[in-house]
Amino acid sequence: RIRRLNALRRAIGSKKAARVAASGAIKAMEYGAAVNGVSDRELARIQAVALAGMAPAAMGRSKTAVLAIKGDPSWAAAVAPILQWARMAWKDDPEIHSEMKDAWKAGEAERNGLVTEDGRRRWKVVRGPAGALFLSLHRIGWHSNDGETFIDDLGISRRISEISTASWKIILKEAVQRMHERSLGSKTGHVELLGKRVCVDAINRIVRAKKTGAEGSRLLAANACNAVWTKLRAYQAGYEVPDVTCQLCGLHPDTIHERLWRCQHPAVK
């Protein structure tokens, strides 16, 4: 699938290829996710398929940054059990609600062993929808004390049965976005950003602005996603690069940071 989507992206462009991936390949891979959930390893494979149709596509790009900036076409797979639980709670059927309460109570012992002390999720020991729900909530920084109310990563409490399925889709998609922003913060390597979100709003706004232009949007996204191979990066990867200084001003090492903030060449100013 990934090879085919890569070829499709080159043929028809990243936007159309991403739509094909979201509507076809990803949907097929999500089969059964609403009940059984999607393990972290399975989710990584689904995201890899989604990323195959997305730009920038350079080797070495930050996949986390691409998903945070461009949006995650596979977001529904990450939270499928949560959405299914909310869908059932929205039904006006006391019998279903009673079964959901029983399922949550019956899974209490199981939930105690689903997350290790260092935070790893143990998907292999999940035995039912309630366990898949618990780990899916944990993935996005949410939790529930009773199976009837969700407390999100911002501390907001919502009673499940009082919100429509359509509204839950919007809420959960935004939660997955925040999950990627936190992951991006951790992967920057800066201690002060561990567990905190990296704001990508400004980049998104500029990339999507009409006056930025297609070429400007492409270049901005490539730099933001670490998809630009500077001289120094190529040298550090083992390529033969005689000179790693900026080819415009020659006053500093050629890195994305130095290009943006230190280059004094008139063409850059």
Side-chain angles (χ1 to χ4, degrees):
R1 287 193 181 106
I2 292 177
R3 287 197 301 270
R4 291 178 179 176
L5 285 170
N6 277 326
L8 186 64
R9 174 180 48 76
R10 290 191 292 269
I12 66 175
S14 59
K15 288 185 178 180
K16 292 181 180 179
R19 285 197 291 269
V20 171
S23 62
I26 295 175
K27 289 296 182 184
M29 297 178 74
E30 288 177 1
Y31 181 77
V35 176
N36 303 314
V38 175
S39 72
D40 297 335
R41 183 175 296 181
E42 291 169 335
L43 182 61
R45 285 199 292 264
I46 294 173
Q47 289 175 344
V49 171
L51 286 161
M54 300 173 70
M59 188 68 69
R61 66 180 175 173
S62 168
K63 296 176 181 178
T64 304
V66 175
L67 293 174
I69 294 171
K70 293 297 190 73
D72 185 357
S74 62
W75 69 269
V79 295
I82 307 175
L83 188 57
Q84 179 66 11
W85 194 269
R87 187 179 289 114
M88 293 297 102
W90 183 247
K91 292 180 180 292
D92 186 18
D93 190 329
E95 185 175 347
I96 291 178
H97 294 174
S98 178
E99 290 176 355
M100 292 173 67
K101 289 180 182 179
D102 292 342
W104 182 262
K105 290 179 181 178
E108 183 175 357
E110 177 192 12
R111 290 194 295 275
N112 291 333
L114 288 181
V115 179
T116 63
E117 291 184 0
D118 59 355
R120 288 183 293 111
R121 289 176 283 275
R122 302 177 64 207
W123 281 95
K124 289 184 178 180
V125 299
V126 170
R127 294 294 178 266
L133 168 68
F134 177 81
L135 286 187
S136 297
L137 288 169
H138 184 271
R139 168 182 284 147
I140 59 175
W142 290 26
H143 68 278
S144 177
N145 297 322
D146 54 11
E148 299 180 35
T149 301
F150 291 154
I151 298 91
D152 71 12
D153 54 301
L154 301 176
I156 300 172
S157 178
R158 298 181 179 89
R159 191 162 181 80
I160 307 168
S161 59
E162 295 178 354
I163 299 175
S164 70
T165 303
S167 296
W168 274 118
K169 287 182 179 180
I170 297 172
I171 294 169
L172 289 170
K173 187 175 183 179
E174 291 174 348
V176 172
Q177 172 65 26
R178 294 195 297 272
M179 175 188 75
H180 287 309
E181 291 171 358
R182 284 193 298 273
S183 179
L184 185 58
S186 297
K187 290 184 177 181
T188 60
H190 295 291
V191 177
E192 62 270 21
L193 288 177
L194 289 176
K196 297 182 180 179
R197 293 161 53 198
V198 170
C199 180
V200 297
D201 295 348
I203 296 173
N204 279 330
R205 189 164 53 250
I206 298 172
V207 165
R208 295 169 184 173
K210 290 184 178 179
K211 60 182 179 181
T212 303
E215 184 65 11
S217 296
R218 185 186 67 79
L219 290 173
L220 178 58
N223 278 278
C225 296
N226 200 35
V228 175
W229 279 76
T230 61
K231 288 183 178 181
L232 184 59
R233 184 180 183 186
Y235 175 78
Q236 292 172 337
Y239 291 94
E240 292 185 7
V241 183
D243 180 11
V244 297
T245 60
C246 175
Q247 65 184 26
L248 292 180
C249 69
L251 299 176
H252 55 77
D254 185 33
T255 68
I256 292 176
H257 177 80
E258 305 285 345
R259 286 183 184 185
L260 293 175
W261 300 106
R262 288 194 59 192
C263 186
Q264 299 298 307
H265 193 275
V268 176
K269 288 184 177 181

